[in-house]
Amino acid sequence: MTETYAVPVPKGYRVGAWEVREPIATGAFGSVYAGRRTGGGGDGPRDVALKFLPTGTRTPRQLHHLRELAEREVDVLRRLKQPHLVRMFETLTVDDPGHPELDGATVLVLEKAEGSLAALLDASPRPGAGPGLLAQICEGLAQLHRAGWVHGDLKPANVLLMTDGSVRLADFNMAAELEGTHAYTSAFSTPDYTPPELLWSEIGERGRQIRGSADVWAFGVLAHLVLTGVFPLPGATPAARRTAAAAYASGTDELRLSPELPDAWREIVRACLSRTHAERIGVEELLRRVRDAAGAGRPFRLPRLLPARRRSRRAVAVSAALATAAVAVLGYGVDRWALSDGEPGASTDASATYGADVLRTGRGVPAAYRLLIVETARDCRSEDVSAPLIAAMLKVENDFDPDLSDPAKDEYGIARWTPKVLRWWMNEDGTPGETVPEPPFPPAESVPAMGRYLCWIAPRLDDALREDRRVLIATAYRTSWRRVNQARGVPAEYRPYADRVAHYLKEYTPPGRR
């Protein structure tokens, strides 16, 4: 290990069901390692990322601070499960007095990424996939803000690129839950991505006050860096750029964006980098503009760098980084079809095989929706609410059409939601929406809501019913669980629907799981 890790963990070390493999990254307070499940069986993935936070050692003051950071991150990851936020599978505490440097440490078991945006930018500044990546990052910010949280430390190192091509926001130990217009967080953040009003802000007993506009500023800096290769404020060092930020905030200097910044993004970045928090664009309007700007770009194609047998290590690293970015932009946002060579429905190998252990490949499930379907199923404790069931229902409902509009039946989107019904299932915390939502309903909203509804239906079906419970759950989605129980199975008028679901259930279930 050439880099000094905040929490050094030897390869082969075991914690819970996991064995530590190679190191991935480190920060000032925690370190991340690849992990692999030991032995057979177990739910969830075989390969994960293990984040070690040293909450069991150090001085009392450090202990208090580190425990607070760990608790923040665990709280966010337990409470928020969104397509563009990194997923946590479990938390563990190391019990190992023989290794005092690890004893008592908190370990977060997280989904493993292919890489980070920071690594991509190091390998290939100004990646062609930039607009698509930024669209996904902005969607993650919007998901976080809608849930009432501020990230507090958005930067390239905290943006993960997944194997299937999607993007995740990560590292939530600076995150804070809003209390009205403000939240409170620690004084630590990365200066280059910190808005001017927070660079020298006072720190009270509860920490530093922060608003959602701090994330908007950070997004503007990140967007400028991704699209131009340079920071928006001048200076060769973070200290020099911090001085430039102060001059800009005081009105003594103007914001001079790079001439390399595409026109479609210039006003977006400028709106993010307004001098005061009150002038900055809101995250929902920002997301709308970013989607428009990203949608205007052409699909990115991976360039051939060198013949395979003559590639240097760096060329291979660049190629891998670009490949990840290519998948990310081609499938950006789970509410869009994966694209290849400009044709809808085609996909990359990574996105087309996501969750292959639970959802069969090569059977027509659009690659753009595989991650959303698999993760939605995993959020339900009922084994009957599976990825093949959700995929089969989406196929039968409207052949995966995200733009379906059927005003005669008042049904819209990929899951054929009626607005008044969707209102009751749109929030992850189980509370109904404050108002009746208006179509169109993007898949990122519709599919998780479908999963929550199916998960609610499952335990309400009579245990004595003899038919396939998955098919009964699907039928209840079309009618009601009471109607299915009263009919002692699939009502006659819903038999064609149930038979089609059963057919695609068989199609989408991997061999050995039927």
Side-chain angles (χ1 to χ4, degrees), residues 384-396:
D384 294 321
V385 180
S386 62
L389 173 63
I390 294 172
M393 291 178 63
L394 295 175
K395 172 67 175 179
V396 174

Side-chain angles (χ1 to χ4, degrees), residues 305-322:
L305 298 175
L306 291 170
R309 286 184 293 181
R310 297 196 299 120
R311 287 184 178 183
S312 66
R313 287 186 178 183
R314 175 163 178 80
V316 171
V318 172
S319 177
L322 286 173

Side-chain angles (χ1 to χ4, degrees), residues 175-386:
E177 190 169 15
L178 286 165
E179 302 171 15
T181 59
H182 292 79
Y184 295 87
T185 187
S186 108
F188 297 96
S189 61
T190 306
D192 272 325
Y193 299 89
T194 301
E197 69 269 16
L198 294 183
L199 285 172
W200 296 275
S201 62
E202 294 184 6
I203 302 172
E205 291 183 3
R206 299 181 62 192
R208 182 177 63 182
Q209 277 193 352
I210 189 172
R211 303 176 180 88
S213 58
D215 285 344
V216 172
W217 172 280
F219 180 84
V221 175
L222 189 148
H224 194 279
L225 181 64
V226 167
L227 297 171
T228 69
V230 297
F231 286 101
L233 293 166
T237 65
R241 291 190 289 270
R242 194 161 57 239
T243 300
Y248 167 61
S250 66
T252 59
D253 204 352
E254 295 299 318
L255 186 64
R256 298 179 179 87
L257 302 179
S258 169
E260 300 294 325
L261 190 63
D263 291 341
W265 289 88
R266 184 168 297 276
E267 291 308 311
I268 293 175
V269 172
R270 192 174 292 279
C272 292
L273 302 183
S274 295
R275 283 192 171 95
T276 68
H277 72 87
E279 297 175 303
R280 276 171 220 143
I281 189 172
V283 74
E284 294 296 340
E285 175 62 15
L286 173 62
L287 178 58
R288 185 189 67 77
R289 293 195 194 180
V290 167
R291 281 174 170 166
D292 288 345
R298 293 179 299 172
F300 173 67
R301 291 179 176 81
L302 178 66
R304 184 175 182 134
L305 298 175
L306 291 170
R309 286 184 293 181
R310 297 196 299 120
R311 287 184 178 183
S312 66
R313 287 186 178 183
R314 175 163 178 80
V316 171
V318 172
S319 177
L322 286 173
T324 300
V327 175
V329 72
L330 296 179
Y332 101 77
V334 291
D335 58 343
R336 292 183 180 268
W337 290 83
L339 301 177
S340 178
D341 296 327
E343 294 296 330
S347 65
T348 64
D349 290 342
S351 57
T353 58
Y354 183 84
D357 57 327
V358 294
L359 183 60
R360 197 172 182 184
T361 61
R363 286 297 187 272
V365 178
Y369 303 134
R370 289 187 66 92
L371 176 136
L372 188 57
I373 291 168
V374 170
E375 296 303 312
T376 294
R378 285 174 176 164
D379 283 340
C380 181
R381 293 184 179 181
S382 172
E383 293 183 359
D384 294 321
V385 180
S386 62

Side-chain angles (χ1 to χ4, degrees), residues 162-187:
M162 311 305 291
T163 302
D164 75 310
S166 60
V167 167
R168 301 283 198 280
L169 301 189
D171 218 345
F172 298 105
N173 50 35
M174 302 297 175
E177 190 169 15
L178 286 165
E179 302 171 15
T181 59
H182 292 79
Y184 295 87
T185 187
S186 108

Side-chain angles (χ1 to χ4, degrees), residues 330-481:
L330 296 179
Y332 101 77
V334 291
D335 58 343
R336 292 183 180 268
W337 290 83
L339 301 177
S340 178
D341 296 327
E343 294 296 330
S347 65
T348 64
D349 290 342
S351 57
T353 58
Y354 183 84
D357 57 327
V358 294
L359 183 60
R360 197 172 182 184
T361 61
R363 286 297 187 272
V365 178
Y369 303 134
R370 289 187 66 92
L371 176 136
L372 188 57
I373 291 168
V374 170
E375 296 303 312
T376 294
R378 285 174 176 164
D379 283 340
C380 181
R381 293 184 179 181
S382 172
E383 293 183 359
D384 294 321
V385 180
S386 62
L389 173 63
I390 294 172
M393 291 178 63
L394 295 175
K395 172 67 175 179
V396 174
E397 291 290 342
N398 65 13
D399 199 22
F400 299 102
D401 182 2
D403 301 317
L404 177 131
S405 179
D406 190 349
K409 294 182 179 179
D410 198 24
E411 294 177 344
Y412 305 90
I414 195 170
R416 279 190 169 270
W417 277 111
T418 297
K420 290 181 180 179
V421 180
L422 175 59
R423 178 192 171 206
W424 292 92
W425 304 101
M426 60 192 297
N427 292 332
E428 187 175 346
D429 61 5
T431 60
E434 294 182 3
T435 60
V436 175
E438 296 183 2
F441 303 135
E445 178 180 87
S446 297
V447 177
M450 172 189 267
R452 287 189 283 272
Y453 190 16
L454 298 179
C455 200
W456 181 85
I457 288 171
R460 287 165 171 77
L461 293 176
D462 193 329
D463 289 336
L465 300 180
R466 294 181 179 274
E467 294 187 62
D468 187 330
R469 291 189 68 81
R470 298 170 299 172
V471 175
L472 295 176
I473 290 169
T475 305
Y477 181 81
R478 272 287 98 204
T479 172
S480 73
W481 63 271

